[in-house]
Amino acid sequence: GIAFVQFHGAMRCGESRALELANTARWLVPFFVFDTEFFGQDNVAPGGLPRVGPFKADFIKRSVVNLRRNLAARAANLVIRTGVPCEVLREVFEPYLNHGAPLCYITDRAVGKYAEAQQQKCLAVLREMGVEEQNIHILDTYSLLGEDYLRSLGPGINSLSVFHDTVSQALEALEAPLRDPGRVNAWPKPQLELEEPPLLGEDLGVQGLCVPMDFPYPDPRAVNGLKGGEDCGLEKLKDWLAYKMRELVRR
């Protein structure tokens, strides 16, 4: 069949439960939606400030660009769209409704009231298009690190190493180690049109950006070095592991 993987929370290729499951299908269509309502000025916190400021928006965009590059290295193209998720979902699925192959939808479980509401709308669209319930997979792996789980850890989590060990043990108990897919299955025909990521200011309405550039000010890398994306996360993890190894040697 055809597996559609919608990325939103866990944007990485290595140790991706969604990709591992999707790669059992004949074809793979990975996609990401820049939700205009989520990034828009009307999505505000109780204090009146936007929930998605320039730094968060830039981090998400960099992560998506990095995800597209890593998927391309595995022979897959990431479909990027801008709009309302349930409407984009219909647009991505419709060219394949008469393909003759079973259609499968895979994504991570949404966390937070807004994301959960959008996910329910997407599921309603899938059912309306005739996607069978058994082919809809909402994965729970990464909700393990949600707010409720972090609160449950209690006051004993007093260092990064203790937190790392605790979460690692929980993940091991949850599921077997995941494989890096290495190479994933290509799109079926018809091919969907590839689009570039939207401009944060012009297309998504994010405030506080440099003009006319499409970046926050100051550049977030001048503050904490977080560029966004799986590759940056791996670099940070390697740095942390090297630091812990030096600590052990000193002891």
Side-chain angles (χ1 to χ4, degrees), residues 34-36 39-41 57 82-83 198-206:
F34 282 92
D35 183 349
T36 49
F39 284 90
Q41 299 179 48
T82 302
L199 298 174
L200 298 179
E202 183 177 336
D203 298 326
L204 296 178
V206 177

Side-chain angles (χ1 to χ4, degrees), residues 141-154 157 162-171:
T141 305
Y142 300 108
S143 64
L144 175 69
L145 301 184
E147 291 183 9
D148 292 339
Y149 174 76
L150 295 178
R151 288 196 199 98
S152 73
L153 296 179
I157 307 301
V162 174
F163 172 78
H164 175 272
D165 292 343
T166 303
V167 172
S168 296
Q169 291 170 10
L171 284 170

Side-chain angles (χ1 to χ4, degrees), residues 8-247:
H8 55 81
M11 289 187 283
R12 64 187 191 224
C13 293
E15 297 184 342
S16 170
R17 187 180 177 195
L19 280 182
E20 185 178 44
L21 177 60
N23 212 36
T24 60
R26 184 174 181 184
W27 294 293
L28 169 67
V29 181
F31 68 100
F32 181 89
V33 182
F34 282 92
D35 183 349
T36 49
E37 294 181 0
F38 175 71
F39 284 90
Q41 299 179 48
D42 294 335
N43 184 17
V44 296
L49 295 174
R51 291 186 183 275
V52 184
F55 297 107
K56 182 174 182 178
D58 180 70
F59 183 86
I60 293 172
K61 182 175 178 179
R62 289 177 187 272
S63 298
V64 174
V65 170
N66 185 243
L67 174 64
R68 170 175 272 186
R69 183 167 60 247
N70 288 339
L71 280 170
R74 293 164 170 81
N77 290 317
L78 178 68
V79 179
I80 296 176
R81 293 290 186 269
T82 302
V84 179
C86 59
E87 296 174 0
V88 172
L89 184 68
R90 188 186 300 277
E91 174 198 337
V92 171
F93 265 73
E94 278 185 342
Y96 303 104
L97 290 178
N98 297 319
H99 192 277
L103 304 182
C104 177
Y105 174 76
I106 304 170
T107 192
D108 295 321
R109 188 173 301 281
V111 178
K113 290 182 179 179
Y114 176 83
E116 289 170 1
Q118 291 300 318
Q119 190 162 80
Q120 289 304 312
K121 292 179 182 178
C122 287
L123 294 179
V125 168
L126 290 170
R127 294 174 182 123
E128 180 187 327
M129 291 189 295
V131 179
E132 296 182 9
E133 201 72 31
Q134 64 189 27
N135 291 336
I136 299 175
H137 302 276
I138 308 298
L139 307 181
D140 290 305
T141 305
Y142 300 108
S143 64
L144 175 69
L145 301 184
E147 291 183 9
D148 292 339
Y149 174 76
L150 295 178
R151 288 196 199 98
S152 73
L153 296 179
I157 307 301
N158 52 20
S159 70
L160 181 59
S161 58
V162 174
F163 172 78
H164 175 272
D165 292 343
T166 303
V167 172
S168 296
Q169 291 170 10
L171 284 170
E172 289 174 5
L174 185 68
E175 61 181 357
L178 300 175
R179 297 179 293 105
D180 186 319
R183 183 180 179 88
V184 295
N185 298 325
W187 285 2
K189 293 182 178 181
Q191 297 285 320
L192 294 169
E193 181 182 351
L194 287 177
E195 296 181 6
E196 292 302 312
L199 298 174
L200 298 179
E202 183 177 336
D203 298 326
L204 296 178
V206 177
Q207 302 296 303
L209 301 168
C210 293
V211 179
M213 293 189 298
D214 191 43
F215 297 102
Y217 181 82
D219 189 311
R221 288 171 293 178
V223 180
N224 58 19
L226 286 178
K227 295 178 289 186
E230 179 180 18
D231 292 344
C232 180
L234 289 173
E235 289 173 10
K236 293 290 181 183
L237 179 60
K238 289 175 183 177
D239 289 344
W240 179 80
L241 290 171
Y243 168 75
K244 298 305 292 183
M245 289 298 294
R246 287 195 296 271
E247 271 195 339

